[in-house]
């Protein structure tokens, strides 16, 4: 008997950019530009450089480009390197479902080089990956923290993106999605918060998704009719519920873009600190105390790290989650970039003296608003599962802000507060675009000449007009003439 493709596979194979609301297309263009900026920033991190050097030594055919070095390596190697660089500073973006599938933009860029891909098809594939991967992530974890540990949604998202990019039909798409659901990939909390496990998991799962789709394109049968069964095994819920709302309720409405390195838990505190420095002039070396008030998610992460940071801690992975470290570094250096996570900066005793003076506590108003305005609280009903078909995700504010008060040795006080981080859902589309463009210019100032930088921005923001040669040109322009 002939298999009937799942509604998920049909939706992916039939999705066209013309069927996607214009506001969603705009957000995923920002997602691509933000990912490129993060890869340029990661190039200057010790972790990113070490991994890129290691992958170059693997050898192989010259099929796709590593960014920003411009070196040609096998397609899967390029995806691995670029994903790792983009995540090396914990600079990947997020939405209501958790971290975005950060490998997907780099996967699509590599496929565009090797197979050709129009801008419209690129955008449709990126939207499909966000929507499918995000729904699986929501079904696998009831909290944002728990969803950050999940690896399977990343592999599924890459398989979705590759299937759509290659133009697979519904039956082939089913055969591409099933293999990545054969087992559940999940990080331990220690691997996520204290080591580079998240970076390695995402970069290693991405080739699995690509491989599954390439095999399906060659007729490899993978039991596509079992997708629903595997989803139920993983989540305990029917696939119809996990993937409901496709095409009517858009998770991509909640896309939020980090404007500085670090975990989502530190984003609000860092943005608020830098805003305070813009508005007040004082000597950061004469700070007596810093009080940082945050919401429940940020406080939970900070408390998890309590007692695990030590002066000169060389584990940059754990520092990306520390509000105290990031606020102290921003106060002293008046910035937060890759430089604040280099070994010589981390070992500065003066920095750690200020870290000890940063006190993090709950902000009651953020705690009170969270249950009412966070759709995570609406999506789950009595533990029975997710209900997404009628979710108004476009109303979601990323309430991850902070209030920061600096007290100087002479008793003077300076304070600032913002409820929503820069670039996050809840800010206007114009604000988000401005912050992403500023991020790209800031992170590429040492790698791209100004003219080249602006050409990349223009190409990405007008990607729906790009033919296949122009998408290939985007990859070339994103590479540095200086490194």
């Amino acid at each position: 008997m002939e298999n009937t493709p799942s509604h998920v596979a049909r939706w992916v194979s039939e999705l066209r950019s013309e069927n996607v609301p214009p506001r969603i297309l705009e957000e995923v263009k920002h997602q691509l530009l933000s990912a490129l900026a993060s890869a340029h920033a990661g190039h200057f991190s010790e972790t990113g450089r070490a991994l890129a050097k290691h992958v170059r030594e693997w050898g192989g055919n010259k099929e796709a480009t590593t960014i920003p070095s411009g070196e040609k390596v096998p397609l899967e190697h390029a995806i691995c390197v670029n994903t790792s660089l983009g995540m090396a500073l914990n600079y990947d973006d997020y939405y209501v479902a958790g971290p975005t599938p950060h490998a997907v933009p780099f996967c699509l860029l590599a496929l565009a080089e090797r197979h050709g891909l129009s801008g419209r098809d690129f955008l449709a594939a990126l939207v499909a990956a966000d929507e499918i991967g995000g729904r699986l992530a929501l079904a696998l974890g009831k909290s944002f923290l728990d969803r950050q540990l999940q690896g399977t949604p990343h592999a599924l998202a890459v398989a979705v993106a590759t299937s759509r990019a290659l133009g697979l039909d519904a039956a082939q798409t089913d055969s591409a999605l099933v293999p990545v659901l054969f087992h559940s990939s999940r990080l331990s909390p220690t691997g996520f918060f204290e080591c580079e496990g998240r970076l390695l998991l995402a970069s290693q799962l991405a080739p699995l998704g690509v491989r599954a789709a390439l095999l399906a394109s060659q007729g490899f049968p993978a039991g596509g009719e079992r997708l629903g069964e595997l989803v139920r095994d993983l989540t305990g819920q029917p696939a119809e519920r996990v993937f409901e709302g496709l095409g009517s309720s858009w998770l991509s409405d909640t896309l939020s873009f980090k404007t500085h390195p670090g975990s989502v838990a530190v984003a609000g505190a860092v943005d608020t600190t830098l805003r305070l420095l813009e508005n007040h002039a004082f000597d950061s070396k004469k700070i007596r105390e810093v009080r940082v008030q945050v919401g429940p998610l940020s406080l939970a992460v900070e408390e998890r790290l309590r007692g695990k940071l030590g002066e000169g801690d060389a584990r940059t992975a754990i520092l990306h989650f520390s509000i105290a470290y990031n606020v102290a570094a921003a106060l002293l250096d008046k910035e937060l970039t890759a430089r604040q996570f280099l070994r010589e900066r981390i070992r500065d005793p003066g920095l750690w003296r200020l870290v000890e003076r940063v006190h993090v506590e709950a902000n009651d108003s953020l705690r009170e608003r969270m249950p009412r305005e966070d759709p995570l609280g609406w999506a789950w009903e009595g533990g029975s599962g997710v209900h997404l078909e009628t979710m108004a995700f476009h109303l979601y504010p990323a309430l991850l802000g902070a209030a920061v008060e600096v007290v100087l040795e002479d008793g003077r006080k300076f304070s600032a507060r913002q409820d929503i981080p820069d670039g996050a859902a809840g800010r206007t589309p114009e604000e988000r675009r401005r912050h992403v463009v500023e991020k790209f210019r800031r992170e590429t100032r040492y790698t791209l000449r100004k003219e080249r930088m602006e050409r990349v921005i223009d190409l990405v923001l007008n990607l729906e007009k790009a033919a296949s040669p122009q998408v290939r040109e985007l990859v070339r322009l994103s590479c540095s003439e200086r490194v």
Side-chain angles (χ1 to χ4, degrees):
M1 184 175 71
E2 186 177 348
N3 295 328
T4 302
S6 67
H7 81 287
V8 173
R10 288 197 303 273
W11 185 80
V12 170
S13 64
E14 295 170 4
L15 184 66
R16 300 293 181 269
S17 61
E18 305 90 79
N19 308 133
V20 179
R23 71 178 190 278
I24 301 299
L25 294 179
E26 291 302 304
E27 293 307 319
V28 295
K29 286 189 283 187
H30 301 160
Q31 184 181 358
L32 171 58
L33 192 61
S34 180
L36 288 169
S38 298
H40 279 259
H43 171 77
F44 293 101
S45 71
E46 293 174 353
T47 301
R49 283 182 177 273
L51 194 141
K53 180 178 182 296
H54 177 62
V55 173
R56 283 198 301 270
E57 294 171 353
W58 294 351
N61 296 329
K62 297 181 178 182
E63 300 172 322
T65 304
T66 60
I67 298 171
S69 72
E71 294 177 87
K72 292 278 191 177
V73 296
L75 181 139
E76 292 185 6
H77 297 182
I79 296 170
C80 177
V81 170
N82 293 335
T83 300
S84 298
L85 291 178
M87 299 179 70
L89 294 167
N90 206 325
Y91 219 167
D92 44 319
D93 299 313
Y94 58 101
Y95 51 3
V96 69
T100 57
H102 199 63
V104 169
F106 301 114
C107 165
L108 291 172
L109 289 171
L111 290 170
E113 283 191 273
R114 182 174 175 183
H115 298 281
L117 192 60
S118 73
R120 286 186 174 276
D121 285 338
F122 190 111
L123 294 173
L126 185 47
V127 170
D130 281 341
E131 296 296 322
I132 300 298
R135 280 168 168 76
L136 182 62
L138 279 175
L140 285 171
K142 295 184 182 180
S143 73
F144 191 93
L145 284 178
D146 186 43
R147 284 190 290 278
Q148 291 187 84
L149 305 178
Q150 305 293 338
T152 306
H154 292 275
L156 181 65
V158 172
V160 165
T162 308
S163 298
R164 177 60 187 80
L166 296 176
L168 303 191
D169 62 27
Q172 291 172 315
T173 299
D174 257 333
S175 287
L177 304 189
V178 163
V180 300
L181 299 176
F182 284 158
H183 62 88
S184 177
S185 299
R186 186 179 187 276
L187 276 173
S188 69
T190 298
F192 182 80
F193 289 105
E194 300 179 40
C195 306
E196 297 292 357
R198 55 186 299 281
L199 183 156
L200 293 173
L201 183 70
S203 62
Q204 295 304 311
L205 282 176
L208 172 64
V210 173
R211 213 169 295 141
L214 289 172
L215 283 170
S217 73
Q218 299 300 315
F220 185 81
E225 75 279 7
R226 298 190 180 278
L227 187 141
E229 178 185 333
L230 291 168
V231 169
R232 181 184 284 276
D233 287 346
L234 287 172
T235 67
Q237 302 169 59
E240 294 76 16
R241 174 175 291 178
V242 172
F243 296 109
E244 70 180 352
L246 290 171
S248 61
S249 178
W250 299 90
L251 276 172
S252 301
D253 267 321
T254 68
L255 280 167
S256 297
F257 311 105
K258 292 178 184 174
T259 55
H260 296 93
S263 161
V264 61
V266 310
V270 169
D271 287 343
T272 307
T273 299
L274 293 172
R275 190 66 38 79
L276 186 152
L277 288 167
E278 289 176 5
N279 297 328
H280 303 283
F282 56 86
D283 187 349
S284 296
K285 294 181 180 179
K286 295 184 179 180
I287 293 175
R288 185 175 74 200
E289 181 184 22
V290 183
R291 299 168 186 154
V292 183
Q293 293 186 334
V294 294
L297 171 65
S298 298
L299 187 64
V301 173
E302 190 72 8
E303 289 180 345
R304 193 185 190 286
L305 302 183
R306 196 179 303 280
K308 294 190 176 183
L309 293 182
E311 182 173 325
D313 197 323
R315 295 174 299 167
T316 55
I318 196 171
L319 295 180
H320 291 308
F321 292 94
S322 169
I323 294 172
Y325 179 85
N326 284 273
V327 166
L331 282 169
L332 286 176
D333 297 347
K334 296 181 173 51
E335 66 172 14
L336 194 73
T337 67
R339 192 173 73 84
Q340 281 66 50
F341 300 96
L342 295 176
R343 199 171 304 275
E344 56 269 23
R345 189 69 190 102
I346 292 171
R347 290 178 173 170
D348 177 12
L351 172 56
W352 287 93
R353 284 194 293 271
L354 184 54
V355 170
E356 293 173 358
R357 297 173 195 162
V358 178
H359 306 289
V360 182
E361 58 190 24
N363 182 290
D364 291 335
S365 63
L366 282 174
R367 183 182 293 276
E368 289 167 2
R369 288 182 65 191
M370 185 70 80
R372 294 199 304 271
E373 300 189 31
D374 183 355
L376 301 186
W378 312 336
W380 286 87
E381 297 179 3
S384 62
V386 290
H387 298 270
L388 304 177
E389 191 167 11
T390 59
M391 291 288 289
F393 284 113
H394 64 284
L395 301 177
Y396 166 70
L399 293 173
L400 296 163
V404 178
E405 182 182 65
V406 172
V407 183
L408 300 184
E409 293 171 351
D410 61 11
R412 285 183 297 157
K413 298 179 181 179
F414 303 94
S415 62
R417 170 178 170 159
Q418 62 185 68
D419 288 353
I420 300 173
D422 295 340
R427 292 191 173 272
T428 67
E430 295 76 20
E431 284 181 296
R432 288 199 296 279
R433 171 171 287 202
R434 175 171 59 82
H435 284 300
V436 171
V437 170
E438 287 176 356
K439 170 182 176 177
F440 184 81
R441 287 176 176 147
R442 183 175 62 250
E443 300 301 352
T444 61
R445 58 188 162 170
Y446 301 118
T447 48
L448 299 183
R449 301 182 193 280
K450 190 176 189 319
E451 179 185 357
R452 198 164 183 144
M453 181 193 301
E454 297 303 322
R455 287 178 66 189
V456 170
I457 293 171
D458 183 66
L459 253 176
V460 172
L461 296 184
N462 293 282
L463 195 62
E464 72 277 11
K465 302 174 184 177
S468 176
Q470 291 172 296
V471 180
R472 284 195 179 100
E473 176 73 353
L474 172 62
V475 178
R476 185 187 70 80
L477 291 172
S478 298
C479 295
S480 175
E481 298 170 301
R482 303 179 180 182
V483 298

